Structure formats: C-alpha cells, structure tokens
Amino acid sequence: MNPGTARPATGTPRHPGTRPGRFARCAAALLATVSVLAGCERGSARHVPGEPASGPSGCPAAYDTARTAVARAERTDVPWNGPTTGPPAVPGKSLVYVAQTMTNPGVAGALEGVRQAARVVGWNVRVIDGGGTPAGIQAAMGQAVALRPAGVVVAGFDPGTTSQQVARAAALHIPLVGWHAVAAPGPSRRPPLFSNVTTHVQDVARVSARWIIDDARGRAGVVVFTDDSIPFAHTKSRLITAELATCRGVRVLAHENIPIPDASTRTPRETAALLSRFGRRWTHSVAINDLYFADAAPALRAAGAPGAGPPYNIGAGDGDPSAFQRINSRQYQSATVPEPLTQQGWQIVDEFNRAFSHAPASGYAAPVHVSTAGNSHGADTWEPTGYQEAYRKIWRG
C-alpha cells in the first residue's frame, strides 16, 4: 500500500480523535448548538479500554472482513487491466448520446469521455437530454433513432422503459451501448444492448457497506439514499442494505427513495426531517449517487453539523469532481466509490467500434475503488492508469 493510503492500526478509529463513547455524545449534540459540535472535532486517535482490539463485539468477523476489503479498495497503484487488443477504428461514424438527465453528474461525466474518444477516432456525437422523466426519455430515444445514427448510447436509464424505440433501433440495425442501463456489465439480450458499461454493481455495493462497517467499527445507524425508479440504482441500494445486515451492530434507519431529478428540492427537506427524527442515532449515510450529499449539505450545515461528520457519508457512485471537492475539503462527504467516468466514455466508443467491426464486446468492468481525502491526493477524479494509451493503440491497428 502507498504511504498516502496507510490505514490506522487495529482498534483505532478511522476518524482521528473521537472515542466511540464520545462519538455518540457528539452525534447527540447534532441538533443543538454549533459550540457543542465544535467540541466533537477529532484530534489524536485513542483506543477505548475494554473494547476488543479486533473490533466491536457486535460483529468482529464482519468488521475484520470489512477492514481488509476497504484497505484493498483504497490502493491507488492498480495497473490497467482492460482490453489491449481489438479492431482498428472505423472512420466517419456518428453517435447519439441519450441522457437520462444531464443533471446526473455520472451521465455528464461519461459523456465527456465519449466526446474525448470520439475526437480521437473522428466521430460525431450529438446529445439529447431526456430531462429525467419517462415521457422525456421516451421522446429523446425516439428522436435519437429517427436520426438513424451509427449507434445510440443509453445513458443512465432502463431501456425497458423505451421498448418501442429500442425495437425500432433493432429493426434499423442500430446498435445500442448502455451506461448504467442495466445492472451487469457486458452484452445484454433483454433488453438488447451490444454492451453495458459499468462497474460490477455488487462490488460497489459491498465495498460501500463495508466502508461503513469499517469506519464505524461495527456500530452505526445508517440512512440509505437511492432512486428506485432506476433498476440499476434499486439493485445497488438493496445490495448495500444486505451487506450492512451482515453486521448486527449496524442498523439501517431509513431507506430514502428520492428520484435523481428531484434530489435538489427533496433532499434538503428529507435531511432536515431525518436529523429531527433520528438525532444522534444517525451516524453514517450511503447514497447510490454522490449528488445526494451536495443537496444534503445545506441542511446539515444549517443544523450545525460539522463538515467532517457525523453523519459520515459515502457515495456508492459516481465520483464526479464535486464529490472529490467535498471529500478533500471534508465538507459533508467522507468517501466515494467512484466510477472511472472518463474511462467509461472511452470504453463506450471502443464498444461501438467493436460492434461496427462485427467483433465481440470487450465486456470490461473497472475494478472497484474507494477514494478518500487520504488517498486522492487532491485529485478530483479517479481513473485507471494507462487506459487512453491502450485504446489509442487498439484504434491505430
């Protein structure tokens, strides 16, 4: 492990300076005055006498498993393990990028990668924003197919909700490549996608939950933020909840179902209500997308909660620059499990090139990673090293 990712010794709190007993008192003061909360800021790490060094009595085995998994995921020296061979670039193609909503930072981040890669191979890219509503997404898909491009990107929504447009694309032999369109990476028969670009959702969910178990030393009250209208997000949140249940000292306090297009208006209100309802019991949060914490921050700040927590917040995607800014400045987010958004945009272009060349999909899925202030070194993204050079070499032939 790199020095920048060194982890505390066994039995030492991840957030320096607050004893577990004091942690509860800090959280209890969450709705009180800022001066009380200021006394909960963390200084030097200390072990509580009488607490097992291997972890709390609630789930020592799950805690040890979580520590090991998180340490592995926080490594930053993982080399490129994606495709290194494939067909050379087919010139002169056009893509339409259909966005669930461009207010979703993950959708916007993947688009940037698509645009970068398209410039390298000389393709054109057009964007149609579905606006986050079923009617808008259906209309956007209809417009995209009517343009008869070489390929259509299904970005961040379930293609099953646009079944007529998907069938029309198939009839016109227009390949579809998804970004977080279904739960699994690689080709999909139902719905018909040449490939779906994403990390393994079960890995992201598992490590997000394990980060909480590790960070809380097996004792936490957790709020889960999700958008159940998106099957991918629904699956992720259920997997997170299942992994949290492996530690009997962790309790899921609430499952907040807030559609991403409504997050900016609903999340602040729901956060204030959660603070009032749970008070000191709310120690951690996990969200299927980092944007929820951008919207929760004003309510947490208004309640006098310190930016460094509690509650300690982890995003199970997407790792956009604003999430890294919150993490690095310790403002209402402690960690993220980032999607390598730009790399995934390059992969989308590579998958289309394979489709146009009648080659099989690469099916690549980036390894799971956890970014914190301790290992990001001030960066505002995370990407696997060497991917651009690998794709350029493939496309040159």
Side-chain angles (χ1 to χ4, degrees):
M1 188 184 306
N2 291 341
T5 62
R7 297 173 57 76
T10 301
T12 303
R14 289 283 305 285
H15 298 284
T18 299
R19 301 181 183 186
R22 241 185 117 206
F23 176 94
R25 293 197 297 274
C26 291
L30 192 59
L31 297 177
T33 64
V34 175
S35 61
V36 173
L37 285 162
C40 300
E41 293 295 326
R42 300 174 174 223
S44 59
R46 288 164 288 183
H47 174 63
V48 177
E51 184 176 82
S54 62
S57 58
C59 61
Y63 170 70
D64 287 343
T65 298
R67 286 193 81 240
T68 300
V70 173
R72 185 186 308 114
E74 287 183 346
R75 291 182 56 184
T76 58
D77 56 350
V78 179
W80 171 247
N81 66 341
T84 56
T85 61
V90 178
K93 297 298 183 179
S94 62
L95 303 178
V96 176
Y97 189 95
V98 180
Q100 178 243 357
T101 171
M102 287 300 293
T103 63
N104 182 330
V107 171
L111 171 61
E112 178 57 29
V114 169
R115 283 173 164 161
Q116 288 181 14
R119 285 194 292 269
V120 172
V121 295
W123 296 357
N124 294 317
V125 179
R126 177 170 176 173
V127 181
I128 303 179
D129 189 349
T133 67
I137 292 168
Q138 288 177 5
M141 273 294 287
Q143 293 175 44
V145 174
L147 291 170
R148 298 199 177 189
V152 174
V153 184
V154 178
F157 62 92
D158 176 12
T161 63
T162 59
S163 58
Q164 291 183 353
Q165 293 81 4
V166 168
R168 177 62 175 159
L172 294 172
H173 304 289
I174 301 172
L176 307 179
V177 171
W179 180 85
H180 288 212
V182 294
S188 169
R189 294 185 62 186
R190 293 183 181 178
L193 300 174
F194 177 78
S195 191
N196 181 55
V197 177
T198 180
T199 49
H200 287 284
V201 65
Q202 63 269 29
D203 292 343
V204 173
R206 187 178 298 118
V207 81
S208 302
R210 286 176 173 174
W211 183 89
I212 290 175
I213 294 169
D214 176 23
D215 188 73
R217 303 177 69 188
R219 293 174 180 166
V222 184
V223 172
V224 179
F225 292 92
T226 187
D227 180 352
D228 284 340
S229 70
I230 303 173
F232 183 90
H234 176 78
T235 298
K236 186 189 293 185
S237 65
R238 297 306 172 188
L239 290 169
I240 289 169
T241 301
E243 185 64 29
L244 290 171
T246 65
C247 179
R248 65 182 183 181
V250 173
R251 180 183 177 189
V252 175
L253 302 175
H255 186 98
E256 292 296 312
N257 177 24
I258 302 174
I260 286 175
D262 299 337
S264 61
T265 55
R266 285 188 52 188
T267 303
R269 297 198 304 267
E270 296 297 334
T271 299
L274 290 164
L275 287 169
S276 177
R277 180 180 175 189
F278 297 115
R280 66 184 179 85
R281 289 183 290 160
W282 182 12
T283 66
H284 289 75
S285 310
V286 57
I288 55 93
N289 191 304
D290 293 300
L291 65 83
Y292 289 99
F293 300 129
D295 298 321
L300 293 169
R301 189 177 292 111
Y312 304 102
N313 301 321
I314 181 170
D318 291 315
D320 67 282
S322 67
F324 277 85
Q325 290 166 13
R326 289 189 296 276
I327 291 166
N328 292 330
S329 61
R330 293 175 170 81
Q331 289 297 302
Y332 305 104
Q333 187 166 350
S334 300
T336 185
V337 184
E339 297 286 323
L341 298 173
T342 307
Q343 177 272 317
Q344 290 177 337
W346 281 61
Q347 183 183 347
I348 287 169
V349 170
D350 184 63
E351 301 293 0
F352 274 119
N353 192 61
R354 292 168 189 268
F356 302 151
S357 304
H358 307 288
S362 77
Y364 173 69
V368 70
H369 178 72
V370 173
S371 290
T372 66
N375 69 357
S376 67
H377 307 295
D380 62 2
T381 59
W382 176 78
E383 308 286 344
T385 58
Y387 74 90
Q388 292 192 15
E389 294 84 353
Y391 283 126
R392 286 176 185 270
K393 183 177 179 180
I394 292 171
W395 299 334
R396 283 195 300 265

